């Protein structure tokens, strides 16, 4: 389920999504930067093909399946957020600033 908030964060499907992607994080990080979008796109396609649905809540209280492009963006965002947390980078901070604070 795409969106923000604790309710969505702890939804079983989202917990499973994060667990699956965590297993691919190292491979994503090792990929050349120019290939990372392609890697995320292929991974999103595989997830969709296996029956995983990426859903977005609408203003009229419905859940709609998002496009493959939106699914890819969700996968990419997860990979980036894990990297930022790992590197100690907070919102509004560059990677260099995060590394400098770690010493």
């Amino acid at each position: 389920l795409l969106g923000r908030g604790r309710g969505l964060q702890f939804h079983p499907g989202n917990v499973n999504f994060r667990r699956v992607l965590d297993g691919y994080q190292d491979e994503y990080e090792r990929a050349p930067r120019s290939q990372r979008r392609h890697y995320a796109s292929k991974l999103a396609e595989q997830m969709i093909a296996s029956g995983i649905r990426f859903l977005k809540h609408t203003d009229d209280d419905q859940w709609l399946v998002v496009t493959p492009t939106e699914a890819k963006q969700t996968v990419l965002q997860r990979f980036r957020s894990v990297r930022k947390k790992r590197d100690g980078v907070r919102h509004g901070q560059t990677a260099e600033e995060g590394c400098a604070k770690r010493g």
Side-chain angles (χ1 to χ4, degrees):
L1 305 175
L2 279 63
R4 300 175 68 119
R6 289 206 176 265
L8 295 178
Q9 181 180 2
F10 295 113
H11 184 278
N14 287 348
V15 171
N16 184 51
F17 169 75
R18 288 191 303 271
R19 187 172 31 86
V20 167
L21 288 186
D22 287 349
Y24 289 96
Q25 185 73 35
D26 289 339
E27 192 172 340
Y28 171 80
E29 295 292 337
R30 284 193 302 268
R33 192 169 188 185
S34 62
Q35 295 297 311
R36 288 181 181 173
R37 285 187 177 275
H38 178 72
Y39 180 78
S41 181
K42 289 295 177 188
L43 188 54
E45 288 173 12
Q46 289 173 359
M47 294 173 88
I48 291 168
S50 73
I52 292 175
R53 296 182 303 159
F54 291 79
L55 303 173
K56 178 172 47 175
H57 196 249
T58 65
D59 291 336
D60 56 347
D61 208 27
Q62 294 183 8
W63 290 95
L64 299 177
V65 176
V66 301
T67 66
T69 299
E70 290 173 295
K72 177 185 81 168
Q73 292 303 320
T74 301
V75 170
L76 280 168
Q77 182 59 44
R78 174 63 185 168
F79 282 140
R80 286 190 303 264
S81 67
V82 167
R83 184 177 62 238
K84 286 179 182 179
K85 283 181 186 177
R86 183 196 65 216
D87 292 345
V89 177
R90 291 189 295 274
H91 183 69
Q93 197 178 38
T94 67
E96 292 78 20
E97 289 169 333
C99 291
K101 289 190 181 201
R102 287 188 306 182

